[in-house]
């Protein structure tokens, strides 16, 4: 299916189900806001949803490159982990513990790394881009491991509980109140802001330019789009928001190590989430992040060989449903529409 | 003093060469499979640990069963047969089974999707190895101990590393001969250029695909088998070997045998000199080099395919 028809289908679906899906979306959002107060919700569930939201931020950002610009990156761990490490190291060395300062800092550091790595990598496309990103990001991983006097090496960095707006919520509310209260809402708001901003960017002329480049770089060049520069902009934007996800992850987990945030397999996981949810859909990566974290937490409870389960799921998705969960969803919606006697096309 | 210095240099160079040997055996297969089959197999490097784990099991069993009854030569021959023949053969069979089931559905996909799907496969292979051999490091130094080491002014050096270099050099020579002089080799090269045209001449390109694939995988397994007696193997190493394999691929140029030889020599030497003079930067230098080469010559040192 070409991207044009995909967009066409999206519009068709939106017209038919616009009210329904926006109502469902609003309901989900309200649900997310009251989630910690729902009966039967404990720390673990909130932690899990917090994880999902943090990764959803990063996956939404990842899709700016994969879904909208057509670039597969194997280097996003550098942005994700770069931000997480910036938060941890500044906390450790400068004693800054204000979350509202540390988050912008992490985002900025990730953006800077993305600007540098991206500038070099966008000289290439396709598999060369993926591998150059991989090499440069791995360089950062290795340096972090080797410079253990600064970074703590493979032991990583502890992220202490931050203050929010100068208030130490940990002493005020205890850990449960901190995690299920203020931190969860910081992550949720970060998620909503990311969603709104990226939606706006991707539906602006900027986003359309990226799509043009994705669909046909040569034609884009021919109509005067500076392709390489736009790919660079996309890399930076993707890096900034991936950094936001990384900072949220750091606060949520309280500890970061090179293996968990900077290793190239983390980049692979972000790609996995995005593809699992569906790269062709704006909201796909959110579903993907959710499905990934849920499958993983279930698999971890069942077996220590949960990597096997994740690998198998990824393999199945690419072989049988390259459009991911959103693709399955769209197919079901089309079927329902046809069943209702609506337009029979597609 | 001079003797000491020369001997140190010799050790560094030998380290570089034996490192290069492993990298060559690892990277050539990846490069050939990409060049000939146009298949971007991220999981390729997992066959090296597979070979190493298998070698460890076989060596331990052998030493346990017949270790004492065989003389030096008998045991050495047994080890050689195990590591050079049996391990690559068994891993080839595993590879063949995987080609039929896991890799075949991916051939038509774009490079991006191949990378991602094979990322899934390497996760599965890692856990499968962890399931079979456990999470603890595995080592089997018997073959290296058997050969012993020779003395240099700066210390001793294991003969096994020298053997690794010699075996790999002869493998490289054989591959070179295969591609330059034999009919099958030339057909394979032609297939890399234009597979359709070759298939029109009535040649069964599918069976050649399989052969290239199996050769690549058995080389990686051989690399693992030769590597094991000098180091221990842990799960997680597969993910580390992957990126080294890609470094060989990118620096040498996609699908080039000469490139794979040159790249593994360069990386091996950079690692050996790096770990001697600036241990902190040893691996970082490799990826810095990879990035620089991709910027200066995007197609790699010997690559001809346009980026």
């Amino acid at each position: 299916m070409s991207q044009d028809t995909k967009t066409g289908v999206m519009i068709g679906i939106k017209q038919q189900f616009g009210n329904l899906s926006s109502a469902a979306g609003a309901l989900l959002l309200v649900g997310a806001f009251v989630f910690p107060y729902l009966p039967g919700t404990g720390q673990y569930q909130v932690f899990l949803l917090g994880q999902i939201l943090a990764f959803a931020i990063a996956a939404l950002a990842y899709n700016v490159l994969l879904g909208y610009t057509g670039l597969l990156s194997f280097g996003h761990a550098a942005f994700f982990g770069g931000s997480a490490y910036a938060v941890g190291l500044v906390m450790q060395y400068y004693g800054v513990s204000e979350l509202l300062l540390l988050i912008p800092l992490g985002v900025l550091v990730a953006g800077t790394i993305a600007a540098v790595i991206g500038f070099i990598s966008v000289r290439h496309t396709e598999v060369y881009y993926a591998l150059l990103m991989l090499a440069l990001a791995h360089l950062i991983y290795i340096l972090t491991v080797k410079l253990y006097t600064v970074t703590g090496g493979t032991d990583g960095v502890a992220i202490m509980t931050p203050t929010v707006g100068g208030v130490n919520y940990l002493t005020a509310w205890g850990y449960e109140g901190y995690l299920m209260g203020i931190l969860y809402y910081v992550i949720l708001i970060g998620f909503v802001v990311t969603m709104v901003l990226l939606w706006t960017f991707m539906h602006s002329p900027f986003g359309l330019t990226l799509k043009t480049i994705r669909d046909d770089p040569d034609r884009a060049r021919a109509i005067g789009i500076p392709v390489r520069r736009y790919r660079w902009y996309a890399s930076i934007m993707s890096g900034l928001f991936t950094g936001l996800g990384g900072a949220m992850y750091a606060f949520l987990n309280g500890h970061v190590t090179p293996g968990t945030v900077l290793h190239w397999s983390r980049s692979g996981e972000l790609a996995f989430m995005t593809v699992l949810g569906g790269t062709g859909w704006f909201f796909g990566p959110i579903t993907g992040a959710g499905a990934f974290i849920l499958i993983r937490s279930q698999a971890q409870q069942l077996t220590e060989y949960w990597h096997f389960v994740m690998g198998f799921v990824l393999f199945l998705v690419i072989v049988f449903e390259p459009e991911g969960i959103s693709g399955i969803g769209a197919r079901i919606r089309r079927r329902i529409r046809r069943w209702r006697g609506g337009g029979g096309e597609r | 003093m001079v003797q000491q210095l020369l001997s140190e240099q010799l050790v560094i160079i030998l380290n570089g060469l034996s490192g290069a040997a492993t990298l060559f055996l690892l990277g050539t297969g990846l490069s050939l499979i990409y060049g000939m089959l146009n298949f971007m197999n991220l999981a390729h490097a997992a066959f090296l640990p597979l070979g190493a784990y298998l070698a460890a099991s076989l060596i331990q069993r052998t030493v346990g069963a017949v270790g004492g009854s065989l003389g030096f030569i008998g045991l050495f021959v047994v080890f050689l047969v195990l590591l050079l023949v049996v391990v690559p053969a068994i891993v080839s069979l595993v590879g063949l089974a995987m080609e039929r089931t896991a890799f075949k559905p991916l051939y038509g996909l774009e490079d991006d999707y191949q990378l991602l799907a094979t990322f899934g496969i390497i996760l599965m292979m890692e856990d499968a190895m962890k399931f079979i051999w456990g999470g603890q490091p595995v080592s089997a130094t018997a073959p290296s101990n058997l050969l012993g080491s020779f003395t240099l002014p700066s210390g001793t050096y294991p003969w096994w590393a020298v053997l690794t270099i010699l075996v790999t050099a002869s493998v490289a020579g054989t591959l070179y001969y295969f591609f330059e002089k034999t009919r099958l080799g030339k057909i394979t090269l032609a297939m890399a250029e234009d597979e359709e045209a070759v298939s029109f001449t009535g040649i069964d390109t599918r069976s050649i695909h399989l052969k290239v694939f199996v050769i690549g995988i058995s080389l990686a397994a051989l690399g693992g088998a030769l590597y094991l007696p000098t180091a221990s193997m842990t799960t997680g190493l597969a993910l580390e070997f992957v990126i080294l394999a890609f470094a060989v691929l990118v620096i040498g140029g996609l699908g080039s045998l000469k490139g794979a030889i040159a790249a593994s020599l360069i990386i091996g030497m950079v690692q050996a000199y790096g770990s001697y003079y600036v241990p902190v930067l040893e691996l970082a230098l490799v990826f810095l080099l990879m990035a620089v080469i991709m910027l200066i010559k995007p197609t790699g040192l010997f690559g001809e395919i346009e980026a």
Side-chain angles (χ1 to χ4, degrees), chain B residues 127-145:
Chain B
D127 262 10
M129 286 188 268
K130 196 167 144 195
F131 179 72
I132 300 172
W133 284 283
Q136 297 301 313
V138 170
S139 63
T141 51
S144 180
N145 295 344

Side-chain angles (χ1 to χ4, degrees), chain A residues 16-28:
Chain A
Q16 203 113 7
F17 290 90
N19 295 328
L20 195 66
S21 58
S22 55
L27 200 69
L28 275 178

Side-chain angles (χ1 to χ4, degrees), chain A residues 124 138-139 263-264 305 307-308, chain B residues 127 239-240 243 284 294 298:
Chain A
H124 298 290
H138 205 66
L139 196 60
H263 195 261
W264 70 267
Y305 305 104
H307 275 124
F308 189 93
Chain B
D127 262 10
L239 292 177
E240 303 304 318
I243 38 181
M294 282 193 84

Side-chain angles (χ1 to χ4, degrees), chain A residues 120 123-124 127-128 131-132 134 136 138-139 142 146 263-264 268 271 275 305-308 311-312 314-315 318, chain B residues 40 102 106 116-117 119-120 123-124 127 131 239-240 243 246 250 254 280 283-284 287-288 290-291 294-295 298:
Chain A
I120 301 170
R123 295 156 155 270
H124 298 290
V127 72
Y128 290 91
L131 295 182
L132 196 49
L134 177 71
L136 293 168
H138 205 66
L139 196 60
I142 290 166
K146 295 279 179 175
H263 195 261
W264 70 267
V275 170
Y305 305 104
W306 56 274
H307 275 124
F308 189 93
F312 192 53
L314 177 57
F315 177 80
I318 290 187
Chain B
M40 199 35 118
L106 308 176
L116 278 174
F119 172 63
L123 291 180
M124 289 160 71
D127 262 10
F131 179 72
L239 292 177
E240 303 304 318
I243 38 181
F246 275 103
V250 163
L254 309 182
V280 172
L283 265 176
F287 292 97
L288 204 60
M290 175 175 165
M294 282 193 84
L295 287 178

Side-chain angles (χ1 to χ4, degrees), chain B residues 166-223:
Chain B
L166 293 178
V167 170
T168 309
S170 49
V171 167
T174 312
L175 281 176
Y176 194 76
Y177 177 82
F178 171 74
F179 282 114
E180 297 293 323
K181 305 286 177 205
T182 66
R183 197 180 110 85
L184 186 59
K186 283 179 178 164
I187 293 170
T188 316
L189 283 181
M191 267 173 57
E193 293 291 323
D194 190 343
E195 188 177 332
E196 237 181 11
V198 174
S199 74
F200 286 156
T201 62
I203 291 166
D204 181 5
T205 53
R206 173 80 191 138
S207 90
I208 293 178
H209 264 187
L210 264 185
K211 281 177 190 140
V212 172
F213 201 88
V214 166
I215 289 172
I217 282 175
S218 54
L219 287 180
L222 177 66

